[in-house]
Amino acid sequence: MPVKATDKSTGKKKKLVIVESPAKGKTIAGYLGDGFEVTASMGHIRDLPQPSDLPAELKKTSVGKFAVDLDKDFEPYYVVSSDKKKKVAELKAALKDADELYLATDGDREGEAIAWHLLQVLKPKVPVHRLTFPEITKEAIQRALQEMRDIDISMVDAQETRRILDRLYGYEISPVLWRKVARGLSAGRVQSVATRLVVERERERMAFRSASYWDLLGTFATASSESFKARLTSVDGARIASGKDFTDRGELKSKNVTHLDEAAALSLAEGLQSASFTVRSLETKPYTRRPAAPFTTSTLQQEASRKLRFSSRVTMQVAQRLYENGYITYMRTDSSALSDQAINAARRQASELYGPEYVPEARRVYKGKSKNAQEAHEAIRPAGDSFRTPAQVASSLRGDEFKLYELIWKRTVASQMADAKGSTASVKLGAVSADGRDAEFSASGTVITFRGFMAAYEEGHDATRDGDEGSEGGRLPILKKDDPLTAAELGAIGHETSPPPRFTEASLVKTLEELGIGRPSTYAATISTIMDRGYVTQRGQALVPSWIAFSVVRLLEEHFTDYVDYDFTAEMEEDLDRIARGEAGRVEWLNQFYYGDRVDTGLHTIVNDLGEIDARAVNSIEIADGIVLRVGKFGPYLERPLPADAPEGTEPERANVPEDLAPDELTAEKAIELMNTAGPEERVLGEDPETGRTIVARNGRYGPYVIELIPEPTAEELANQPVEYYKNGKPKPPKKPAKVKPRTGSLFKSMSVETVTLEEALKLMRLPRVLGTDAEGNEITVQNGRFGPYLKKGTDSRSIGSEEEIFTITLEQALEIYSQPKQRGGRQAAAPLAEFGTDPVSEKPVVVKDGRFGPYITDGITNITVPRSMAIEELTRERALELLAEKREKGPAKKPVRKRAAAKK
């Protein structure tokens, strides 16, 4: 509801302020004076429609393919969506009584476009002002009222170009994926490149071959009995090979290192047991570490993922709420700069909380990366000219909101604190073994003497390969050259090289930003999209690509090379920035992208000249000699192709691939094992004595089952059909016999394709089994269902014990069960599949339950189905809360309106 302004009868002017969201509007209204009415547009009020929703007269024109007029400089055909028509009417009604209009949407491209669309649709006849503010505080709003401007058309052009570009890209390439891979897939300017990054990393892991190497680790004691650990680093002057010295194929990169195997390491350790060790060199250097810059959108997503285990989408949703309620500055920014007021606030709080010595004399100034002056925001920081500490907001913020605010506050304050100081000592010690080999060990340790910014905050880090083998860390004892040392313990340690680590959300966001692909404000949506499409799933924090992602990426790499090229995609992003800065034209750029500047370039030309794409090749990956993985309609499977001389009609050997098996885990050895242990796909059980039809048991996508085979009608049967005639006497063509639906039955958990008998199969296909009727004549049946065996009487269902009871339970036993009071819900409440604590919005427990249409997440108020692409074990608390939040935003599903039949005359 809009916040009402002072009535015109008071003589004061009414000023209408339009923002995107009610939460933002409510906060702003509290800081504006009399005469202002604040209302929300609820985001975009119009957009490009689906081509299928265009008016009939436009569908066959140059607008019909994309809802963009290709013959009129890519002019978009915008429509007000049906769910926004009521909102537009409300805005127009509010504008009728206004003397001035303030468009106060966000200050980025998307917000600028919303403001422009409002201007185009509302067509105000009163003065219009563009109002932006980096934070929702009284001081910021007062400053913004003194710095109003017009709508920035260059920023609007950049947003419109991006929207049209994504429509062209998706609508041209996605249909190719539907035809050659699977229905329901999508391609996108950023999502396809992000998927390629994840797939390429998995390819590296699949090609990886581990190498083993050994070294020695010793515990050494000084004359004063102080001990420390040191690792072998060289033998006879040659450096010992470590993990970084091997290629991903398990081969040494250089011959100038000594590769110790187990025998050599054990022999050397034995030869050094009685050797005399001495300190050969000692070096001490000062240690200094600077604080990290304040958060940008990208670094906030990365750090929230590392420290709070938030997904990118959850991070942005929580940050949006914090911004709209006046707790932090605008959350979409690639600048790490702070205003003078913010620097002063951070320095003041650091001094008050940690002491004056923790604040450096000179202010720290961080420069933003953005070249776009129009989009220049501050870094993400606590709102206001004086920050509220976490303790001060603890009563008003809960759960995820408090955690994220605390993270932002710590990072901001730490960014203005002094460097951490200390010293790093490195020591080399050695001895000669019994067989005359010179062995040298190294150790290093860092001692922090002044924590500086680390007293407030320390940045997290992503996993690295093979760890840091050369440093044992910790404090070293006081040593000097030639000091004698005793080897208290000395042992050989074996190592295996590690494959490249999989991407996490944090490292994927970091890589996308480093490559210049997409923009931080879009990363959360991009990662959510590739998960929802089934291209990527999560295993813990790691992102694992599906086999269907391999097929999609291969097709794009082979036939749309530029459109998944990292440099090409980054150049497109920079071009959009140039349009936003007014340095390039929208129409010229779109023409070049779609039609090309030469005859053989441009997306339009590439799609039209694709030629034939071998779908079988695109969906095939060789796993082992003679074994190929195919991506089929019902998922991936292994196949041993038939030899050229195989008789016609011979089926190749196949084996299903377990859903929980990651691509890099499907090695050649594993593929051979799966092929050798695969059960028969189909086994003939015999004939039904009543019908004479063949009964077979099969392994299906959704489990093993039995089915009767319906024979095709013979030529004689077709010829004996009665002939029907038209009115003119000519005979009608013979009708195809009605297709008979075969009887089927799912196997019990105790059965398998290899063991099920014909008798059992016939019983399964006769289900449900009729037991009889009760005293009132209601029929009682017993059958098997998704949740197990149960009795059914009308709409009253009752669970029974085991599947085997389906064939043994009697009518008397069923009547006894129905004579008992029904448990609530018809059955004892099943335990939740997962529990995720309390929801920060509803403050009710969030659980995952198994429902009629599959697992769903609920807080007792809002329900949302778990995406099919996500296993329950991989569902995190953050993702569960994110899905619930999205469902709340959409609101309850609208019930279809029943039309009353017209009265008959």
Side-chain angles (χ1 to χ4, degrees):
M1 290 292 291
V3 180
K4 295 298 182 181
T6 303
D7 192 86
K8 280 198 168 186
S9 60
T10 62
K12 293 183 180 179
K13 287 188 174 181
K14 174 183 170 182
K15 303 169 183 177
L16 180 64
V17 181
I18 302 179
V19 296
E20 293 106 316
S21 71
K24 181 178 175 181
K26 183 178 179 181
T27 310
I28 290 170
Y31 298 126
L32 292 170
D34 291 340
F36 285 93
E37 178 181 325
V38 184
T39 189
S41 69
M42 307 301 290
H44 280 277
I45 59 167
R46 65 177 190 171
D47 196 5
L48 299 176
Q50 297 290 331
S52 58
D53 296 332
L54 286 169
E57 64 272 16
L58 289 178
K59 288 184 178 179
K60 294 184 179 180
T61 68
S62 55
V63 179
K65 189 171 183 180
F66 305 112
V68 173
D69 198 332
L70 301 177
D71 292 346
K72 292 185 179 178
D73 295 335
F74 297 91
E75 181 181 328
Y77 182 85
Y78 290 119
V79 297
V80 176
S81 55
S82 58
D83 60 334
K84 287 297 178 72
K85 288 180 179 178
K86 182 180 177 182
K87 172 55 64 177
V88 169
E90 290 173 358
L91 294 174
K92 286 182 176 180
L95 185 59
K96 281 183 181 179
D97 299 327
D99 299 296
E100 291 180 83
L101 174 62
Y102 293 77
L103 299 174
T105 51
D106 293 342
D108 57 6
R109 293 180 200 169
E110 214 64 34
E112 207 71 18
I114 292 173
W116 180 79
H117 283 290
L118 286 167
L119 196 63
Q120 299 298 306
V121 173
L122 299 181
K123 296 180 170 53
K125 297 179 181 178
V126 296
V128 179
H129 311 286
R130 181 74 175 101
L131 190 66
T132 59
F133 23 80
E135 57 187 342
I136 305 176
T137 61
K138 186 174 183 179
E139 302 87 351
I141 290 172
Q142 288 174 345
R143 284 193 290 266
L145 288 168
Q146 303 302 316
E147 300 170 356
M148 294 185 294
R149 59 174 175 82
D150 294 329
I151 289 176
D152 190 317
I153 295 302
S154 293
M155 287 177 68
V156 175
D157 279 349
Q159 189 277 341
E160 187 170 85
T161 305
R162 181 198 61 77
R163 183 72 185 91
I164 296 171
L165 167 64
D166 289 345
R167 175 59 64 96
L168 298 175
Y169 192 115
Y171 277 45
E172 284 285 23
I173 300 178
S174 296
V176 181
L177 300 180
W178 302 343
R179 294 193 302 270
K180 300 301 178 181
V181 183
R183 297 289 301 178
L185 301 179
S186 70
R189 179 173 51 93
V190 179
Q191 63 156 294
S192 295
V193 176
T195 303
R196 183 188 172 200
L197 280 169
V198 179
V199 168
E200 281 198 331
R201 180 62 55 87
E202 197 73 8
R203 287 172 176 166
E204 292 172 11
R205 292 174 64 88
M206 293 168 72
F208 175 80
R209 298 293 177 267
S210 65
S212 62
Y213 59 97
W214 287 70
D215 59 16
L216 305 185
L217 182 65
T219 301
F220 298 90
T222 66
S224 59
S225 299
E226 291 186 273
S227 64
F228 64 96
K229 293 183 183 294
R231 191 177 292 274
L232 179 71
T233 51
S234 69
V235 175
D236 294 332
R239 185 169 61 81
I240 294 297
S242 62
K244 62 185 179 183
D245 294 306
F246 293 88
T247 68
D248 283 351
R249 303 297 296 175
E251 301 164 348
L252 271 176
K253 297 176 183 176
S254 170
K255 295 181 179 179
N256 299 325
V257 293
T258 297
H259 180 199
L260 292 183
D261 57 18
E262 182 179 10
L266 290 171
S267 173
L268 182 59
E270 181 66 27
L272 290 170
Q273 292 299 325
S274 57
S276 299
F277 286 85
T278 58
V279 175
R280 293 182 174 179
S281 68
L282 183 68
E283 183 180 16
T284 302
K285 293 180 180 179
Y287 171 85
T288 301
R289 185 174 169 189
R290 292 172 58 85
F295 280 131
T296 62
T297 303
S298 169
T299 55
L300 176 64
Q301 291 176 15
Q302 293 172 48
E303 199 71 341
S305 175
R306 298 184 192 114
K307 289 184 177 291
L308 305 179
R309 295 294 187 260
F310 285 3
S311 69
S312 296
R313 179 174 282 185
V314 166
T315 299
M316 295 308 292
Q317 288 175 338
V318 175
Q320 178 95 27
R321 293 198 296 270
L322 290 174
Y323 165 69
E324 291 179 342
N325 288 290
Y327 287 97
I328 64 170
T329 53
Y330 192 58
M331 65 286 159
R332 294 188 183 92
T333 175
D334 55 5
S335 170
S336 55
L338 292 175
S339 67
D340 289 342
Q341 295 94 328
I343 291 174
N344 292 337
R347 289 171 63 85
R348 183 167 58 252
Q349 286 197 340
S351 179
E352 291 170 355
L353 294 171
Y354 302 102
E357 67 275 16
Y358 282 82
V359 181
E361 291 184 12
R363 295 149 56 98
R364 294 191 186 274
V365 178
Y366 299 93
K367 293 183 178 179
K369 299 178 183 179
S370 178
K371 299 177 184 177
N372 302 323
Q374 303 96 324
E375 296 183 71
H377 295 289
E378 273 192 82
I380 302 170
R381 61 166 177 83
D385 293 345
S386 58
F387 304 158
R388 286 171 283 184
T389 65
Q392 291 172 322
V393 301
S395 60
S396 56
L397 291 179
R398 297 180 183 179
D400 292 347
E401 291 179 358
F402 177 80
K403 291 176 186 176
L404 194 64
Y405 180 85
E406 184 181 41
L407 187 72
I408 293 167
W409 179 87
K410 285 181 176 180
R411 176 88 164 216
T412 306
V413 171
S415 73
Q416 290 300 318
M417 292 174 67
D419 295 342
K421 299 284 187 180
S423 61
T424 297
S426 301
V427 62
K428 291 185 178 180
L429 51 136
V432 177
S433 67
D435 59 354
R437 304 192 71 182
D438 182 82
E440 189 167 86
F441 290 70
S442 298
S444 64
T446 298
V447 177
I448 303 296
T449 55
F450 175 67
R451 288 180 59 76
F453 75 91
M454 292 171 65
Y457 177 83
E458 192 169 354
E459 188 175 27
H461 298 282
D462 295 318
T464 57
R465 292 181 70 177
D466 301 316
D468 186 2
E469 299 165 359
S471 174
E472 294 309 313
R475 183 189 292 267
L476 294 177
I478 297 174
L479 300 167
K480 61 181 184 294
K481 190 177 179 183
D482 299 325
D483 275 357
L485 298 168
T486 302
E489 293 180 20
L490 194 62
I493 306 294
H495 306 273
E496 293 282 333
T497 54
S498 303
R502 286 193 177 99
F503 282 109
T504 61
E505 284 202 33
S507 59
L508 182 59
V509 164
K510 183 179 180 181
T511 301
L512 289 170
E513 185 179 38
E514 288 172 348
L515 293 173
I517 294 168
R519 282 295 172 260
S521 59
T522 66
Y523 292 154
T526 297
I527 293 173
S528 294
T529 297
I530 64 177
M531 287 185 181
D532 292 343
R533 290 286 183 272
Y535 295 151
V536 172
T537 56
Q538 277 189 302
R539 180 181 287 189
Q541 289 283 295
L543 301 179
V544 183
S546 63
W547 287 111
I548 207 164
F550 278 74
S551 296
V552 168
V553 169
R554 179 175 176 181
L555 186 150
L556 295 176
E557 286 174 334
E558 292 179 357
H559 300 280
F560 297 93
T561 309
D562 280 346
Y563 301 95
V564 286
D565 178 79
Y566 304 136
D567 292 337
F568 180 81
T569 308
E571 286 170 12
M572 282 199 291
E573 206 65 58
E574 175 55 32
D575 287 342
L576 292 175
D577 288 347
R578 290 175 56 237
I579 294 171
R581 297 193 296 268
E583 298 170 5
R586 179 184 75 85
V587 175
E588 294 80 5
W589 191 88
L590 284 171
N591 260 310
Q592 185 174 1
F593 170 81
Y594 191 61
Y595 292 115
D597 54 359
R598 298 187 303 277
V599 174
D600 59 341
T601 62
L603 181 60
H604 176 72
T605 307
I606 290 171
V607 171
N608 286 348
D609 295 344
L610 269 179
E612 186 57 37
I613 296 176
D614 187 344
R616 188 172 180 80
V618 164
N619 291 288
S620 300
I621 301 170
E622 185 173 355
I623 301 296
D625 187 24
I627 299 178
V628 175
L629 180 133
R630 311 273 192 210
V631 179
K633 183 178 179 181
F634 299 110
Y637 60 93
L638 296 173
E639 183 179 276
R640 201 172 259 134
L642 292 170
D645 57 352
E648 188 176 347
T650 305
E651 283 290 320
E653 292 180 62
R654 296 189 178 95
N656 288 327
V657 177
E659 290 187 6
D660 59 350
L661 192 71
D664 73 324
E665 295 168 354
L666 185 59
T667 60
E669 296 76 18
K670 184 65 177 178
I672 292 169
E673 177 193 330
L674 290 171
M675 291 296 294
N676 291 340
T677 58
E681 289 297 305
E682 182 174 295
R683 186 167 72 92
V684 177
L685 303 181
E687 289 186 357
D688 182 344
E690 293 181 8
T691 64
R693 292 170 182 165
T694 302
I695 309 298
V696 298
R698 289 176 176 171
N699 271 315
R701 175 66 175 161
Y702 302 104
Y705 66 100
V706 290
I707 184 172
E708 65 176 351
L709 302 183
I710 307 296
E712 291 293 325
T714 64
E716 184 179 355
E717 288 171 332
L718 292 172
N720 290 333
Q721 286 188 81
V723 179
E724 295 183 7
Y725 296 90
Y726 291 111
K727 290 182 179 179
N728 60 8
K730 290 185 178 180
K732 291 182 179 180
K735 289 182 179 179
K736 288 185 178 180
K739 193 161 186 178
V740 180
K741 186 177 180 181
R743 292 177 298 158
T744 62
S746 295
L747 268 59
F748 290 174
K749 292 182 177 65
S750 59
M751 301 173 179
S752 68
V753 171
E754 296 90 334
T755 61
V756 67
T757 66
L758 176 63
E759 182 183 2
E760 290 171 329
L762 293 173
K763 285 182 178 180
L764 290 171
M765 291 191 297
R766 292 189 189 112
L767 294 178
R769 175 173 158 243
V770 178
L771 299 180
T773 60
D774 65 5
E776 288 77 32
N778 299 308
E779 186 178 75
I780 299 176
T781 60
V782 61
Q783 53 210 300
N784 211 359
R786 182 187 176 101
F787 305 107
Y790 65 98
L791 297 167
K792 185 174 175 59
K793 182 175 70 169
T795 59
D796 189 355
S797 300
R798 305 290 178 96
S799 296
I800 61 173
S802 66
E803 290 178 317
E804 282 67 25
E805 287 183 51
I806 291 175
F807 297 137
T808 61
I809 192 170
T810 64
L811 176 61
E812 290 71 24
Q813 291 171 323
L815 291 172
E816 174 63 25
I817 292 172
Y818 273 107
S819 69
Q820 304 298 322
K822 185 173 182 179
Q823 294 175 347
R824 187 172 179 177
R827 64 174 66 206
Q828 186 174 355
L833 302 180
E835 299 179 80
F836 292 116
T838 304
D839 184 90
V841 177
S842 66
E843 299 182 6
K844 294 184 180 295
V846 176
V847 297
V848 179
K849 294 184 176 181
D850 207 348
R852 181 180 177 188
F853 303 106
Y856 67 97
I857 307 162
T858 180
D859 62 352
I861 300 172
T862 305
N863 299 339
I864 180 68
T865 303
V866 176
R868 291 179 62 187
S869 60
M870 181 176 292
I872 299 298
E873 295 77 15
E874 298 165 348
L875 182 64
T876 62
R877 165 180 163 79
E878 291 74 28
R879 183 64 173 141
L881 297 181
E882 174 185 320
L883 290 166
L884 280 175
E886 290 174 2
K887 183 64 183 291
R888 287 192 198 100
E889 287 180 10
K890 292 180 181 177
K894 294 181 179 178
K895 293 183 179 179
V897 178
R898 293 186 179 179
K899 294 184 178 179
R900 294 180 62 183
K904 295 182 179 179
K905 291 184 180 180

